Amino acid sequence: MLVSADPYLQEEAKRIVAAAGGSLRTAVDVAGAVHGWDTADVVLVGSDVRELPPRRRAPTVLLGKAAEGDGLWRLAASLGAERVAVLPEAAAWLAEHLSMAGSPDPGGTVMGIIGGSGGAGATTTAIWLAQAAAGQGISTVLIDGDRWGGGLELAVTSQEIPGLRWPDFAETRGSIDPSQFRDSLPVAGGFAYLSWPGTREQVHVPAADAVSAVVDAARRSFELIIVDIGRSGEGLATLAWDCDKILLLTQAHLRSAVAATRVLNELPPIEAGLLVRGSGTTSVDAAMIAESLGLPLLGLLPEIRGVAAGTEMGRLLEFGRRKAVSRFAGSVLELNGGIQ
């Protein structure tokens, strides 16, 4: 179902749905969409829609035009839309997304990690969680969502491992074959990873539709996708919306907790949990922080001496094998009961 009175969005949606092998019902306003809303496999809402019918599920995709800019993402947040498709650029991605909508297999779980403040340790946590999941036989990929972070690969390994990086997907149009995607990525610590290059060279940046195609390919080729979202608005506007769950990491200090509140306000309306960096002696403070943020406390990231130096030398995986880290990661991922 499409809910929109915009002639351009109506024509584009009709063409894209036909290409995906589906049928489209169009309502020009919310009132006309009420009866078919909950029975539609996918609900598309145009950017001319400003409110939803009461007691109905959130729309699947918000359709808009490139000229509408960042306003589309703010509107998607207010409506609770799961995805944003900027037309005509995202037409191929949307057709692929619609063709998969009836599939009984939703694919892997996408878990995002974001620091509530700078230096909280989100990248370190993401690496250790990926390592722990892979160690339990869960096919895992770690995605570097922060192109300003210097390259996640530098913390994973000191070796130059062959495989594709983000700039290699800059010219991607449409869907990506999941088997080829999986085989193209470098592997370390038992998990695959997609990183921004750890070099000083200027890189080509994939467009939003290419980023969505990458995440879709990751869903179809891995059981667990861990995304180091980064604290830039870029990661929050794209990768965060593809997550099924987001872990917010903060330090057990007042300023960090306040900063985490601001980050929390920018997250999309999906399930979230809190991680607090500190030793067991900070557990009371951690509980207070979780209560103030209104998030469940999922784990305490242990302080381990030498991690900063290990990060600089690409040796974080060595620290990830320590018992304290393994206990932390296993608890967060609930490895004994499966990925949650």
Side-chain angles (χ1 to χ4, degrees), residues 8-26:
Y8 171 75
L9 296 180
Q10 289 179 356
E11 288 302 314
E12 282 293 289
K14 186 184 302 181
R15 178 179 64 83
I16 293 169
V17 170
S23 59
L24 180 69
R25 175 184 173 186
T26 301

Side-chain angles (χ1 to χ4, degrees), residues 10-334:
Q10 289 179 356
E11 288 302 314
E12 282 293 289
K14 186 184 302 181
R15 178 179 64 83
I16 293 169
V17 170
S23 59
L24 180 69
R25 175 184 173 186
T26 301
V28 297
D29 55 29
V30 167
V34 169
H35 296 297
W37 189 285
D38 286 333
T39 58
D41 290 331
V42 176
V43 177
L44 309 174
V45 172
S47 55
D48 55 314
V49 174
R50 290 294 184 271
E51 61 181 16
L52 302 179
R55 296 183 297 278
R56 294 297 190 276
R57 76 181 197 262
T60 310
V61 183
L62 174 69
L63 304 185
K65 308 167 190 175
E68 294 171 290
D70 293 340
L72 280 176
W73 303 102
R74 290 192 292 271
L75 178 58
S78 67
L79 296 178
E82 297 175 11
R83 302 284 190 275
V84 175
V86 182
L87 301 177
E89 290 83 357
W93 169 82
L94 181 58
E96 178 70 16
H97 183 75
L98 294 176
S99 67
M100 296 173 57
S103 172
D105 181 9
T109 298
V110 181
M111 180 181 293
I113 300 176
I114 186 169
S117 62
T123 297
T124 298
T125 303
I127 292 171
W128 285 346
L129 291 180
Q131 181 181 14
Q136 293 295 316
I138 300 168
S139 61
T140 304
V141 61
L142 174 59
I143 295 179
D144 182 359
D146 184 8
R147 67 184 176 101
W148 306 107
L152 177 148
E153 62 183 357
L154 295 181
V156 172
T157 177
S158 59
Q159 303 175 357
E160 185 173 343
I161 301 177
L164 298 185
R165 271 66 175 174
W166 268 116
D168 295 307
F169 295 95
E171 303 301 323
T172 296
R173 299 292 182 270
S175 61
I176 301 171
D177 180 87
S179 297
Q180 293 181 359
F181 175 77
R182 180 170 183 155
D183 294 342
S184 72
L185 299 178
V187 176
F191 60 89
Y193 62 90
L194 176 61
S195 175
W196 287 98
T199 66
R200 299 180 180 180
E201 299 175 4
Q202 185 174 357
V203 298
H204 298 289
V205 179
D209 57 334
V211 173
S212 294
V214 165
V215 177
D216 279 345
R219 274 189 186 275
R220 288 180 285 152
S221 46
F222 293 92
E223 296 174 274
L224 177 63
I225 302 92
I226 296 180
V227 182
D228 180 13
I229 297 173
R231 287 170 45 79
S232 69
E234 182 180 355
L236 285 168
T238 54
L239 288 166
W241 284 83
D242 286 314
C243 295
D244 300 307
K245 182 177 184 178
I246 292 181
L247 306 179
L248 176 62
L249 174 65
T250 183
Q251 295 170 293
H253 303 299
L254 178 61
R255 289 184 60 191
S256 182
V258 171
T261 302
R262 295 170 181 166
V263 173
L264 180 62
N265 291 335
E266 298 297 322
L267 296 181
I270 61 175
E271 181 184 357
L274 183 69
L275 305 177
V276 177
R277 177 181 171 186
S279 66
T281 58
T282 65
S283 58
V284 175
D285 292 333
M288 291 176 61
I289 294 171
E291 182 178 359
S292 67
L293 292 175
L295 294 176
L297 179 61
L298 302 183
L300 293 173
L301 179 65
E303 293 281 5
I304 297 180
R305 185 178 301 175
V307 167
T311 301
E312 291 296 314
M313 295 184 288
R315 296 175 54 191
L316 270 185
L317 295 179
E318 296 180 22
F319 292 90
R321 291 191 285 269
R322 296 194 179 184
K323 290 183 178 180
V325 175
S326 297
R327 285 195 298 268
F328 160 76
S331 174
V332 174
L333 296 172
E334 298 184 357

